Amino acid sequence: MKNNLTALLSQLISIPSWVDKQTNEAQIGIFICNFLTQNRQLKINKQSLGNGRYNLFASNSNQVDNLIVGHMDTVQPNSGWTREPTKPQVIGDKLYGLGSSDMKGGLAVILKLATSPALIPNTGFLFYCDEEYDFLGMREFIKEYSNKIAPKLIVSLDGEGPGIGNSCRGLIEMKVKVRGQAGHAANPKSGVNAITESFVVINQLKTWLKTFKSPELGVSTLNIARINGGSKQGNIIAETCEYIVEVRVADNNLNAKKVKDFIVNQSLTRQLKVDDIIIRHDLGSWITPKRKLLDILNLAPSKNLKQAKKRGYLDVQMLWKSFKQPRIFTFGVGTKNMSHKADEYVQISNLQTAEKFMTGLLSNNGAC
């Protein structure tokens, strides 16, 4: 297997690892497992998730002080691609391919680190599934390993780079089903329109969420990902409405129960009956104080922390919570605004910067 970063990333891109009925992370897991065997000091464990999927945990000691993590899955290719998503192409400083920025570029750097002869002791690597979907891989890893290891430093190479990130907003998602009252559209007062009244509730929710804020993470924000309701006949007042609420949490005083209770109470004031609310995600925020990362920032190419106010949820927050808030930071490899986009690419110079920084951090002369 070629060990050059660009060649290694090209190999990773050529292995589809999105998740649908025909495809998952099984094949890329095989490739990564075989690659890791180059370092004979690594003990490699497979954690089965079913359907051929598994996490890979590799370490050079039973004691794990430093844990480096990366997810193996990508989103599915969208219809806007003008190149073959799994056929990597290099043009200048850009390497095109699905997952190049999110986050197979990071995986390539991690694999180089894991097979380095200068790797410091007590270091572990987690390659996990399902980050882009339902966080199954991270959840199962925590179930098995939260009492087996106690890392003091955790690093994720997910995200845009290059730069140090020390935080992320939380994530709440739920599906809401409400019911009004049908009536004749010619007489609006003859019924309760579940769609228009839901709009009122949604706007009230948006305003209320802004009260949950923090200096580091900004304000909590709302996205209505989907809304549907009513009937096919224009002369009937819409009796039903279903919508999906997604909240980016900037204050850990906010949780799914509070959001659910707010929606229920406001819906009742609009004469809506709540048939069901299904909570999909209830995940908090994470902040590692800057003072705990000063030694890391001294080694980093940029001394400024990346702002989390407009970044997505990062599932290293689960590790931060489960391992009793160790030092955690991200060092993104991806190119700005390229994640999940058609014709996704990563800058090769970003890969090289990340490799240089992480090698310095985890080599025998590094900071850890």
Side-chain angles (χ1 to χ4, degrees):
M1 296 180 182
K2 295 181 180 180
N3 214 31
N4 174 275
L5 262 181
T6 303
L8 179 54
L9 175 53
S10 295
Q11 289 176 295
L12 292 169
I13 289 171
S14 68
I15 305 171
S17 59
W18 62 83
V19 179
D20 60 20
K21 292 181 179 179
Q22 289 79 36
T23 308
N24 59 32
E25 308 94 337
Q27 293 303 310
I28 199 168
I30 292 172
F31 175 88
I32 290 173
C33 187
N34 290 337
F35 192 94
L36 291 172
T37 60
Q38 293 182 60
N39 185 344
R40 295 183 180 180
Q41 294 181 339
L42 289 177
K43 180 181 178 182
I44 304 169
N45 295 293
K46 291 182 179 181
Q47 183 186 29
S48 176
L49 305 176
N51 196 29
R53 305 167 77 191
Y54 51 83
N55 292 333
L56 286 167
F57 176 63
S59 62
N60 59 6
S61 173
N62 290 329
Q63 177 180 329
V64 176
D65 293 332
N66 313 299
L67 179 63
I68 317 303
V69 305
H71 64 86
M72 299 183 288
D73 59 314
T74 71
V75 296
Q76 297 179 25
N78 62 50
S79 60
W81 278 82
T82 63
R83 295 172 168 84
E84 177 59 44
T86 58
K87 289 185 178 179
Q89 183 180 12
V90 176
I91 301 177
D93 188 43
K94 299 176 181 178
L95 199 166
Y96 289 85
L98 180 64
S100 55
S101 266
D102 187 11
M103 64 158 291
K104 290 184 175 181
L107 288 182
V109 174
I110 295 172
L111 287 171
K112 288 290 296 293
L113 293 169
T115 53
S116 169
L119 181 66
I120 59 176
N122 304 334
T123 299
F125 300 89
L126 171 62
F127 303 87
Y128 63 100
C129 296
D130 208 51
E131 188 272 347
E132 300 287 5
Y133 301 88
D134 284 312
F135 309 118
L136 173 64
M138 186 63 79
R139 295 182 195 277
E140 291 303 310
F141 176 78
I142 288 169
K143 283 181 184 178
E144 182 172 341
Y145 284 92
S146 59
N147 294 319
K148 291 182 178 180
I149 61 174
K152 300 173 184 176
L153 176 69
I154 300 175
V155 185
S156 168
L157 268 65
D158 194 6
E160 298 175 353
I164 300 290
N166 70 325
S167 57
C168 77
R169 293 189 294 172
L171 173 63
I172 294 170
E173 184 180 324
M174 60 185 67
K175 181 186 289 186
V176 181
K177 295 181 180 180
V178 297
R179 184 175 301 276
Q181 182 180 348
H184 198 291
N187 181 9
K189 293 184 178 180
S190 67
V192 177
N193 191 307
I195 296 176
T196 55
E197 296 303 324
S198 289
F199 285 152
V200 175
V201 174
I202 288 167
N203 284 324
Q204 291 170 331
L205 176 62
K206 183 178 181 180
T207 300
W208 176 72
L209 287 172
K210 291 179 181 178
T211 64
F212 293 91
K213 54 189 176 180
S214 72
E216 299 88 354
L217 302 178
V219 299
S220 300
T221 57
L222 173 67
N223 176 49
I224 300 301
R226 178 183 173 88
I227 190 165
N228 186 33
S231 68
K232 294 181 180 181
Q233 289 184 240
N235 62 349
I236 299 176
I237 294 172
E239 184 178 16
T240 62
C241 183
E242 176 181 310
Y243 54 97
I244 294 176
V245 169
E246 189 207 56
V247 178
R248 299 296 169 143
V249 181
D251 179 351
N252 273 339
N253 290 313
L254 180 64
N255 56 43
K257 182 180 184 303
K258 288 184 178 180
V259 174
K260 177 180 177 180
D261 289 346
F262 183 91
I263 292 172
V264 169
N265 292 333
Q266 295 303 314
S267 295
L268 289 174
T269 66
R270 308 304 303 182
Q271 300 180 7
L272 296 174
K273 177 186 176 183
V274 178
D275 287 340
D276 196 13
I277 296 182
I278 301 172
I279 297 173
R280 182 184 181 192
H281 296 307
D282 185 13
L283 301 163
S285 60
W286 141 66
I287 301 176
T288 299
K290 181 178 180 179
R291 67 180 185 276
K292 293 186 177 182
L293 296 173
L294 293 179
D295 58 331
I296 306 295
L297 284 168
N298 285 335
L299 294 172
S302 171
K303 311 306 177 187
N304 298 319
L305 291 171
K306 299 184 71 174
Q307 296 296 311
K309 294 179 180 180
K310 295 183 179 180
R311 295 172 66 196
Y313 174 78
L314 299 172
D315 56 3
V316 291
Q317 182 270 341
M318 298 184 201
L319 297 174
W320 179 78
K321 181 178 179 181
S322 300
F323 289 114
K324 300 179 181 178
Q325 301 184 10
R327 295 199 303 167
I328 295 185
F329 72 89
T330 62
F331 190 88
V333 174
T335 295
K336 187 175 181 180
N337 297 327
M338 273 291 108
S339 296
H340 304 179
K341 284 196 172 183
D343 293 339
E344 178 184 358
Y345 67 83
V346 67
Q347 290 163 280
I348 297 171
S349 54
N350 279 8
L351 300 176
Q352 295 166 339
T353 298
E355 181 184 24
K356 181 178 179 181
F357 168 68
M358 291 300 297
T359 298
L361 186 69
L362 294 175
S363 70
N364 288 318
N365 297 318
C368 295

